[in-house]
Amino acid sequence: MKIAIVCYPTFGGSGVVATELGLELARKGHEIHFITYSQPVRLALLNPNVHYHEVNVPEYPLFHYQPYELALSSKLVDMVKLYKIELLHVHYAIPHAYAGYMAKQMLKEEGIEIPMVTTLHGTDITLVGNHPFYKPAVTFSINQSDVVTSVSQSLKEATMDLFQIKKDIVVIPNFIELNKNTEDINIACHRSVMANEGERIITHISNFRKVKRIPDIIKIFNKIQKKIPAKLMMVGDGPEKEKAERLCTELGITDKVIFFGNSNEIDKILSYSDLFLLPSETESFGLAALEAMAWGVPVISSNSGGLPEVNFDGISGYLSDVGNVKEMAENALRILKDDAVLMQFKKNALETAKQFDIANILPLYEELYEKAIRSIKQPILSGDPIGAGI
């Protein structure tokens, strides 16, 4: 199949998922065309089946904000015609599904029918998409998509509650590429680089937005380090980082917390971690938790959004109500205090992650694509079994 993938090219979860999906499809022999305003951060162009097409937005004094949707839809039309692309897969409802719909209409005028799959990732629905300014456009874009998928059952239910959706949403969870976890790790990077002997390594990775409840992470760690020797690795950057640094100073634990900023060595950090903290207000899926579990790192998280669909309470880690710092710290100590308990949770975390291996998820997308191409003029009916489970 010839597939165009439209995504944000940044460090965010939706862009990472879209990129990894495209790369794996290319390895399976499909021809993949990434269409966005800059090269995705995880995109490797050394596969002959992978192509990248940059969307250029010309600047005109007339426009206060440059019309990216217009440039994107025009680029999609050109690429579909030039490369005979068979299907559009857009990640994020706005602006991508909106631009994809406009491209479909322009192509239709020239007698070209092409299906569009829209994948919902989270904030495009629960935060940005639900804003009164965007809600009508988001509703329209979802309903005009040929196939709609969401990364969790929780996100599907939220979408149905927030919008007037007239079609079924297929749940296909996010995934992890487990094979890479045995490759590309520099042996010279020893655990001692991050912590002293006998110290537990606790990690958090995010974009440091309010929804991640960054102060809770610092407070949970503070309770942990009072009971056992530990270090906290804070990976990422964002508006809450400075506040977190001040809180560490107030609590007198600056020597026990390392702020990495955005890092390309996440796999190395996770490979030496003992516990992952994700006490978010909500997560549409919890991709960071899954990435940690794929390295055998148990997770302490909130029970909000899609997290219970990834982190299994008492097995791969523990779930607690949002804001229950005390219980999260107690559960963390329950795992970390005893070596045998920690090793069992590590084993369980990896086994849980294996359910979400890309080898299990990719066929769901391939089946969905094939059906969408066959059914351009016949919408997929509610109750379609594709993606019903893994």
Side-chain angles (χ1 to χ4, degrees), residues 132-385:
F133 290 170
Y134 301 115
K135 195 167 186 175
V138 172
T139 304
F140 177 83
S141 300
I142 293 173
N143 283 328
Q144 293 301 316
S145 301
D146 295 281
V147 179
V148 182
T149 76
S150 71
V151 298
S152 68
Q153 180 65 29
S154 172
L155 180 58
K156 173 181 177 176
E157 292 169 1
T159 305
M160 291 298 193
D161 288 342
L162 293 171
F163 301 89
Q164 296 295 317
I165 302 304
K166 301 175 183 177
K167 64 197 317 132
D168 190 30
I169 296 176
V170 180
V171 177
I172 300 183
N174 282 337
F175 51 81
I176 195 74
E177 187 181 353
L178 284 169
N179 288 341
K180 74 173 183 179
N181 291 6
T182 59
E183 305 170 358
D184 301 327
I185 295 300
N186 188 345
I187 302 302
C189 177
H190 295 295
R191 186 184 170 93
S192 59
V193 173
M194 296 191 292
N196 298 321
E197 186 175 352
E199 287 182 321
R200 301 299 196 196
I201 296 177
I202 300 162
T203 300
H204 171 78
I205 302 170
S206 78
N207 52 17
F208 283 60
R209 291 184 293 121
K210 267 193 172 182
V211 71
K212 303 297 180 180
R213 299 185 68 91
I214 301 299
D216 283 5
I217 295 163
I218 305 301
K219 293 172 186 176
I220 293 166
F221 172 73
N222 186 42
K223 291 180 180 295
I224 294 170
Q225 64 86 30
K226 286 179 179 179
K227 300 292 183 179
I228 59 173
K231 287 281 180 67
L232 175 63
M233 310 294 132
M234 297 288 283
V235 185
D237 203 353
E240 293 289 293
K241 182 180 177 183
E242 187 177 336
K243 185 188 296 184
E245 291 173 327
R246 287 201 305 268
L247 182 56
C248 288
T249 301
E250 291 169 10
L251 295 172
I253 56 173
T254 53
D255 60 326
K256 298 179 181 181
V257 183
I258 300 174
F259 288 88
F260 285 87
N262 288 326
S263 174
N264 290 318
E265 298 188 304
I266 288 174
D267 288 340
K268 289 181 181 178
I269 295 168
L270 288 175
S271 71
Y272 293 106
S273 297
D274 297 305
L275 192 70
F276 191 82
L277 299 180
L278 196 63
S280 306
E281 191 79 29
T282 187
E283 292 279 347
S284 60
F285 178 81
L287 185 60
L290 179 57
E291 289 182 332
M293 288 158 56
W295 283 104
V297 183
V299 176
I300 296 294
S301 74
S302 59
N303 55 13
S304 181
L307 282 167
E309 299 175 47
V310 183
N311 182 24
F312 300 158
D313 191 48
I315 300 173
S316 59
Y318 285 105
L319 300 163
S320 297
D321 291 340
V322 174
N324 195 337
V325 170
K326 181 175 181 292
E327 183 178 280
M328 290 182 185
E330 290 171 351
N331 286 335
L333 288 166
R334 192 180 304 176
I335 293 173
L336 294 170
K337 276 187 171 181
D338 186 277
D339 286 344
V341 173
L342 175 59
M343 292 311 297
Q344 185 60 54
F345 270 91
K346 281 179 168 286
K347 180 181 177 181
N348 293 347
L350 178 57
E351 289 302 311
T352 302
K354 286 179 180 178
Q355 299 178 47
F356 299 91
D357 184 34
I358 194 167
N360 296 325
I361 307 302
L362 189 69
L364 302 178
Y365 276 114
E366 289 179 300
E367 183 185 353
L368 184 145
Y369 293 158
E370 289 167 358
K371 185 162 187 177
I373 290 171
R374 291 195 308 266
S375 309
I376 292 173
K377 297 180 181 180
Q378 298 176 9
I380 292 178
L381 301 176
S382 297
D384 193 303

Side-chain angles (χ1 to χ4, degrees), residues 56-71:
N56 294 305
V57 185
E59 293 189 9
Y60 293 111
L62 174 66
F63 297 121
H64 184 66
Y65 297 106
Q66 303 310 315
Y68 178 64
E69 294 91 336
L70 182 61

Side-chain angles (χ1 to χ4, degrees), residues 102-114:
M102 294 305 299
K104 277 171 57 72
Q105 294 307 109
M106 286 187 278
L107 287 164
K108 196 172 183 179
E109 288 292 313
E110 300 187 38
I112 300 172
E113 292 273 1
I114 184 169

